[in-house]
Amino acid sequence: MSLNFSVIASGSSGNCSILWNEKTAILIDCGCNAKYLSKQLENLNIDIKNLYSIITHAHLDHISVSCINFLKKNQIPVYITKNIFKDMLKKHEHKIKDCLYIEYNRSFAIDNIKIEAFDVYHKDANISKTCGFTFFSEVKKRSYKIGYITDTGKICNNIIKILANSNILVIESNYNKQMLEFSFRPYENKQWILSDFGHLSNEDAANAICEIQKCSTVKDSLKYVFLAHISKHHNTYAHARHTVNTILLNNNITGINLLVAKRNSKSPTIRIN
Ligand SMILES: [Zn+2]
C-alpha cells in the first residue's frame, strides 16, 4: 500500500488537497471549481467511488457551492465538526445534510488512514470555528504523518506539539507584511487578517516551521513542507519562499523540501511507497 499527497488548489480563490492510496482518496477541503476538481481526479486516476471529503471550515474558498453540488451528486461522504456544519447551514441551507460528525482531538479512521481534527485560531462574523488535521497511515510497516493547517491567525505551543513529527506539512503563508500594509483592502479587513483569528504572515509560517522542526524527534520530519493559501493581493510566491527559506537558514534548519502551493495548478505529487 502506498500513500500519495498533492495540493490541487490553494489560495482565496479555492483550496483543495488530496491524500490517497490504492483504496481510498480523501479530499481535504473542497473550495475549488467542481469542473477543475473532476479534471484533476481524472488525471490522477482516482475513482469517485473511493472518494471522501473532510472540511476545515465554512469559508467559501474551502467549501464552494459548485463542490457542494459535486459532493452531493456523487454521494461523497463529508466529514465535518458540528460547529462547522452549523456555519455551513447559514450559507447553504440544507444542501449538505448527511454529514458525518467528527470531534476535536478524537481520532477516527477512513479505511486505513487515521485522522484527528484540532482547533485552530480562525473565525469571523460568518464562521465560528476552524479545524486543522493530522493524518496517519502505514506504508511498509512504517507510520507516516501529514499535518494540515491552512487558516489560522496564530500558532500556539499546543499546535506546534500536534504538528511535530509530520513527514509532510501543509501550512499557510498568507501575507507579506508590507504588501498587506499598502494593499487596497479596507482597514477592518486588514486588521482581521493581522489578528489572532485571521491568517499567518510569511514570517509567522517560517517561525512555526522552525518550532515544529525543533519539537520533532523522528527521522524525515518535515521532509516536505507546502506553503499554502498565498494571497493573490498581498503576497507573491517568491516572497513567501524567500522569507521562509531565509528564516529556516538563520535557524540552521536544512533538509526541508519547500514547495509553494499554487492557486490554479496542482502541486507535484508526493509519493510514499
Ligand atoms: Zn478562512
Side-chain angles (χ1 to χ4, degrees):
M1 191 73 82
S2 68
L3 189 65
N4 310 286
F5 178 81
S6 181
V7 179
I8 288 177
S10 185
S12 49
S13 51
N15 295 275
C16 183
S17 295
I18 184 155
L19 178 67
W20 77 102
N21 59 30
E22 287 77 1
K23 283 160 69 183
T24 305
I26 303 170
L27 292 171
I28 310 158
D29 280 336
C30 237
C32 55
N33 174 285
K35 216 176 193 178
Y36 172 77
L37 173 61
S38 301
K39 189 80 202 144
Q40 297 299 329
L41 293 171
E42 198 183 307
N43 291 345
L44 291 169
N45 248 330
I46 290 172
D47 191 336
I48 285 178
K49 283 196 255 66
N50 298 336
L51 212 52
Y52 298 81
S53 66
I54 184 163
I55 310 296
T56 58
H57 65 299
H59 277 152
L60 280 173
D61 55 333
H62 295 261
I63 179 72
S64 67
V65 173
S66 83
C67 274
I68 287 180
N69 294 331
F70 170 84
L71 296 171
K72 198 177 166 189
K73 186 178 135 206
N74 294 293
Q75 297 180 311
I76 295 163
V78 180
Y79 288 82
I80 202 164
T81 67
K82 275 196 177 159
N83 298 86
I84 295 164
F85 179 68
K86 278 186 201 159
D87 291 339
M88 279 175 63
L89 281 186
K90 285 190 224 160
K91 283 185 199 146
H92 309 299
E93 296 176 350
H94 292 275
K95 275 194 170 171
I96 287 191
K97 50 177 187 262
D98 302 319
C99 291
L100 295 148
Y101 293 129
I102 58 172
E103 287 177 39
Y104 290 107
N105 309 315
R106 182 171 289 188
S107 62
F108 67 100
I110 299 176
D111 199 20
N112 66 342
I113 299 174
K114 199 181 101 184
I115 306 166
E116 206 164 299
F118 58 95
D119 198 5
V120 304
Y121 301 89
H122 187 72
K123 65 177 178 180
D124 62 14
N126 299 312
I127 62 146
S128 62
K129 283 277 190 186
T130 296
C131 295
F133 299 116
T134 48
F135 301 85
F136 302 84
S137 187
E138 275 196 6
V139 180
K140 290 186 180 153
K141 294 189 180 165
R142 195 186 147 184
S143 181
Y144 290 89
K145 176 174 177 181
I146 291 108
Y148 200 93
I149 182 161
T150 57
D151 293 45
T152 189
K154 66 173 183 178
I155 302 259
C156 62
N157 285 338
N158 190 42
I159 292 179
I160 300 282
K161 280 186 209 150
I162 289 169
L163 294 172
N165 295 322
S166 295
N167 303 101
I168 300 172
L169 174 70
V170 179
I171 185 166
E172 79 161 340
S173 191
N174 182 255
Y175 64 91
N176 168 288
K177 283 180 186 168
Q178 275 181 325
M179 286 177 77
L180 179 62
E181 196 184 333
F182 295 109
S183 90
F184 63 88
R185 290 279 176 99
Y187 174 79
E188 292 73 20
N189 183 244
K190 287 187 194 181
Q191 289 309 109
W192 173 73
I193 292 168
L194 288 163
S195 78
D196 280 354
F197 292 96
H199 288 283
L200 296 182
S201 69
N202 295 334
E203 284 84 358
D204 295 334
N207 291 330
I209 295 165
C210 291
E211 291 307 309
I212 294 164
Q213 190 64 320
K214 285 174 194 166
C215 206
S216 297
T217 52
V218 302
K219 186 178 163 258
D220 286 342
S221 60
L222 303 194
K223 188 163 184 190
Y224 296 98
V225 173
F226 287 88
L227 301 180
H229 216 309
I230 292 171
S231 169
K232 188 178 178 182
H233 303 290
H234 36 251
N235 207 355
T236 64
Y237 298 139
H239 272 119
R241 183 187 284 280
H242 178 74
T243 304
V244 173
N245 250 333
T246 305
I247 294 175
L248 290 181
L249 284 175
N250 289 344
N251 280 272
N252 294 319
I253 292 174
T254 54
I256 293 176
N257 294 297
L258 202 59
L259 295 121
V260 175
K262 304 281 168 62
R263 272 180 285 282
N264 299 312
S265 63
K266 192 189 85 61
S267 75
T269 297
I270 308 299
R271 294 186 189 280
I272 303 169
N273 50 27

